[in-house]
Amino acid sequence: MPTDQAAPAGRKVEVLALDVGCDLGELARVRAWARAGLDDVAEAALTDTILVLDELVSNALRHGERPRQVRLLRRPGRLRIEVDDAGKTPATPRPPSETGGRGLALIGACAAAWGQEHRDGGKTVWAELDLAESNVSGDTTDPPFPGRRTG
């Protein structure tokens, strides 16, 4: 599902999209795809980005339903990761245990904000990261993406 995120006047949003299969083996393919698409991002910011991306996609694979898609929306100094799935169950933090429960806390620690949007066909769970230190253009004046909510 394409995003309709608006950019500030005169700003272009670069969008990369990838359909995701059904098994956890997809995580390696998604990480490689993101690294290739974000090859100019500083390593520290890229490490956080891959961690957040991995958690969002992993949650969609474990708890969501087909079809699934991941998008990277990029503006100077900012990155928004969106993961769609057809499931209607909201992404909800749960207490950590031996089987999980740490993913959304990790996302919250690494991202400037995260949230979810529900629609008739499922949901989109998203996270925004501040890439200002790895911003190639040097222009970091853009505000967060519209509709930003946490939790």
Side-chain angles (χ1 to χ4, degrees):
M1 160 173 273
T3 187
D4 60 356
Q5 296 296 321
R11 298 291 183 162
K12 181 180 177 186
V13 175
E14 174 188 357
V15 180
L16 302 172
L18 179 70
D19 292 329
V20 179
C22 294
D23 65 66
L24 291 174
E26 285 287 280
L27 292 170
R29 184 173 74 94
V30 171
R31 287 189 297 265
W33 165 80
R35 284 188 177 280
L38 301 171
D39 62 347
D40 61 332
V41 172
E43 189 59 36
L46 187 59
T47 297
D48 284 350
T49 297
I50 297 299
L51 175 63
V52 169
L53 175 67
D54 201 61
E55 290 297 332
L56 289 174
V57 173
S58 174
N59 283 347
L61 288 166
R62 286 184 172 101
H63 309 293
E65 298 175 23
R66 293 177 65 181
R68 297 173 187 92
Q69 184 183 67
V70 61
R71 284 181 304 283
L72 303 176
L73 293 80
R74 188 169 174 193
R75 300 196 314 234
R78 292 214 164 282
L79 178 72
R80 180 174 167 122
I81 302 167
E82 297 181 342
V83 178
D84 294 340
D85 78 77
K88 304 232 186 236
T89 305
T92 306
R94 61 185 173 101
S97 71
E98 290 181 15
T99 61
R102 293 171 183 81
L104 293 177
L106 286 171
I107 291 167
C110 294
W114 76 272
Q116 54 196 305
E117 297 162 5
H118 299 273
R119 57 187 191 290
D120 289 340
K123 67 182 172 300
T124 301
V125 182
W126 57 266
E128 287 185 23
L129 291 101
D130 182 355
L131 303 179
E133 292 185 18
S134 62
N135 182 11
V136 176
S137 73
D139 181 1
T140 60
T141 59
D142 281 349
F145 284 87
R148 180 178 137 174
R149 298 184 311 265
T150 56

